[in-house]
Amino acid sequence: AWDGSSNIVITTMMNQPNGASHSVSSFYGYSTSCSAPRTIYHYQDATQFTPANCTGGNASTSAYRPTITIYTMGCMAPASCAAPTIMLDRVTVDTVEISWIPGFQENGWDLYYKEDTAADWTLEASSLATNHYTLTNILPMRNYLLRIVPDCGGDSVFAQAAFTTPCVPVTDLPFTEDFENFVASSTSGSPITDCWHRGTSYTYSSYPYLSTSYAHSGTHSMYFYNPSSSYYTYLALPAMDAPVDTLQLSFAAYITSSSYTLKAGVMTDPEDFSTFTSVATIAPAATNTWEMFEIPFNSYTGEGRYLAFASDDSYTYMYIDDVEVSIIPNCPRPREIAVSNVTQTNATISWSDTSNSFFEIEYGPTGFTRGTGISVTSSTNSVTLYGLTHSTSYDVYVRAFCTLSDTSNWSFVTTFATQCGIIDSLPYTQNFAGWGAGTGARPACWTS
């Protein structure tokens, strides 16, 4: 809406990503009138922009900062009928609030819209006398085009804008994803399954992406890679309708070398990694084997609705599979199962649950079917198992009795091996089942 004579001031902030070098932190601007173009140079500070706090400079271009070129067209008089400037003020799953600045002195407009792949436009409103409108009859997860046509110019003068409606938040829980039919290739800029979001500052590929190298179930998992603490990689789930502090996230994780970690957290904007808040750190205890994790988000106090996996402070090389989001149960399963004081015949099992006073523990040789093992009980959050066989791997599960009628789910399996001893009973057999695969995966007391 320039009137042809007033000064225009345009400033650009030098804010390059990835630590690109520049000499000073400042604003560069270009101020012009019809008769006296000039350049101004202004250091960044807290004062309001006025000519008094600017110093003269010379117009130039630089390889280190963007360049703006202004064509004044000889200060031509504005057209008598011009296209408006469209602003999209709020986009929801089924509405968009639209406003616009008249191109000149127009006072009536027609508004059209369509999905971006549609052939024909739909006339939503004609001869609008106000420069704002709320479009309501649209669908979630769609790409749309808007067109606003002033009444004065026929069909040749118009402004157009594009927008995408967001996804509908997840309402049906548990929400699961096994990545078998997921879309997320390693090609830079490639799409991802609708309503999921991913990002990385390491630009050589699109991380994370689908992998067939390892899988907890089926043939696919999501592969996370982050080369150092200077970068970030993340995957955000669809928005959840339920408050995040009522949810828990469970999944399987796999690492091929020790010390790899990943974070589980929440994002308020799945396209802006700076909105990520970490809730827990995922640190598998063993390599070359899938380990189950369950993370409650009851400690989260923010407004985010997007659960997310992320790496932003360390070198990461990890696979994730069989993700599930569910409501935190009234009687949660025992977590952080630990094994200590292992001998040839004994082992102490402990867990994190200290709010309940009765637990059942079931154990048996690795791979046993739950319900066929040996069951013991405990009134504290630990128990010592006796009478074990040396040189043997065991699986152990724990569940809590919150009340006589409310029992938790069984904990995820924890595997341990008793200390090695002399084989004193023949025949001795080993079928190599249940030991995982890859370097270092072998039966207890075997070496390679």
Side-chain angles (χ1 to χ4, degrees):
W2 187 43
D3 63 10
S5 61
S6 300
N7 282 349
I8 298 175
V9 176
I10 296 177
T11 63
T12 61
M13 177 63 179
M14 295 195 303
N15 187 23
Q16 291 93 334
N18 302 328
S21 62
H22 41 73
S23 58
V24 293
S25 178
S26 58
F27 288 105
Y28 284 81
Y30 187 83
S31 176
T32 183
S33 66
C34 286
S35 58
R38 67 184 185 276
T39 300
I40 54 88
Y41 174 82
H42 173 53
Y43 282 95
Q44 179 185 357
D45 56 28
T47 60
Q48 185 176 0
F49 182 91
T50 65
N53 58 24
C54 301
T55 57
N58 296 312
S60 63
T61 62
S62 168
Y64 294 104
R65 56 187 67 90
T67 300
I68 289 180
T69 302
I70 299 178
Y71 297 93
T72 63
M73 300 291 290
C75 297
M76 294 173 60
S80 60
C81 183
T85 299
I86 300 176
M87 294 170 288
L88 304 179
D89 300 317
R90 184 169 179 264
V91 181
T92 70
V93 296
D94 55 7
T95 65
V96 57
E97 295 179 9
I98 312 159
S99 59
W100 55 93
I101 300 173
F104 180 51
Q105 295 178 352
E106 300 80 17
N107 55 19
W109 299 267
D110 297 336
L111 190 151
Y112 297 82
Y113 77 98
K114 69 169 187 172
E115 289 193 39
D116 61 351
T117 57
D120 300 322
W121 291 85
T122 297
L123 176 62
E124 170 69 13
S126 59
S127 298
L128 288 168
T130 59
N131 62 331
H132 54 84
Y133 188 85
T134 300
L135 180 62
T136 58
N137 53 335
I138 53 179
L139 300 173
M141 298 171 53
R142 298 290 197 278
N143 297 317
Y144 284 98
L145 294 176
L146 280 172
R147 180 173 288 182
I148 298 179
V149 183
D151 288 343
C152 54
D155 294 333
S156 61
V157 178
F158 60 85
Q160 190 164 299
F163 68 94
T164 300
T165 49
C167 297
V168 175
V170 173
T171 57
D172 295 331
L173 296 175
F175 169 82
T176 61
E177 179 56 65
D178 61 7
F179 301 112
E180 294 307 299
N181 298 297
F182 203 75
V183 175
S185 78
S186 61
T187 304
S188 294
S190 60
I192 190 169
T193 291
D194 288 341
C195 305
W196 290 68
H197 305 263
R198 63 174 170 174
T200 180
S201 56
Y202 187 63
T203 57
Y204 293 100
S205 187
S206 285
Y207 293 103
Y209 59 76
L210 278 181
S211 172
T212 57
S213 298
Y214 307 95
H216 181 250
S217 67
T219 58
H220 292 78
S221 64
M222 279 298 278
Y223 166 51
F224 287 79
Y225 174 72
N226 196 40
S228 74
S229 58
S230 300
Y231 297 90
Y232 66 79
T233 295
Y234 75 90
L235 175 71
L237 282 67
M240 298 293 148
D241 184 66
V244 165
D245 61 0
T246 67
L247 303 178
Q248 63 183 18
L249 177 66
S250 63
F251 54 91
Y254 186 99
I255 55 176
T256 58
S257 182
S258 59
S259 302
Y260 296 143
T261 62
L262 201 62
K263 294 177 180 178
V266 187
M267 299 178 73
T268 56
D269 181 352
E271 298 293 343
D272 182 359
F273 184 67
S274 67
T275 68
F276 175 79
T277 299
S278 178
V279 171
T281 297
I282 305 157
T287 62
N288 300 298
T289 185
W290 286 96
E291 184 175 342
M292 293 299 300
F293 290 86
E294 187 172 76
I295 297 172
F297 282 76
N298 55 324
S299 63
Y300 179 71
T301 58
E303 299 297 323
R305 285 292 186 268
Y306 299 88
L307 305 187
F309 298 96
S311 172
D312 63 347
D313 60 359
S314 64
Y315 178 45
T316 299
Y317 183 88
M318 191 180 298
Y319 298 83
I320 297 294
D321 201 0
D322 292 334
V323 174
E324 178 179 291
V325 180
S326 59
I327 297 293
I328 299 173
N330 292 329
C331 187
R333 76 176 97 213
R335 300 185 178 93
E336 301 175 11
I337 312 301
V339 183
S340 61
N341 304 322
V342 180
T343 69
Q344 290 188 1
T345 58
N346 303 335
T348 298
I349 313 299
S350 58
W351 49 93
S352 60
D353 189 337
T354 58
S355 60
N356 295 297
S357 59
F358 189 75
F359 303 90
E360 181 181 6
I361 303 92
E362 185 177 357
Y363 67 97
T366 293
F368 85 96
T369 300
R370 202 173 59 241
T372 64
I374 301 173
S375 180
V376 296
T377 60
S378 175
S379 58
T380 65
N381 63 327
S382 68
V383 68
T384 299
L385 308 180
Y386 297 98
L388 305 176
T389 302
H390 67 75
S391 313
T392 302
S393 177
Y394 287 90
D395 289 345
V396 61
Y397 300 86
V398 184
R399 66 174 175 175
F401 286 79
C402 298
T403 65
L404 290 177
S405 59
D406 192 6
T407 305
S408 75
N409 290 330
W410 286 98
S411 66
F412 296 123
V413 64
T414 297
T415 301
F416 69 95
T418 53
Q419 290 184 359
C420 303
I422 300 297
I423 300 300
D424 50 12
S425 177
L426 296 176
Y428 170 80
T429 61
Q430 175 57 250
N431 64 3
F432 301 102
W435 297 103
T439 304
R442 56 182 177 267
C445 303
W446 287 59
T447 59
S448 64

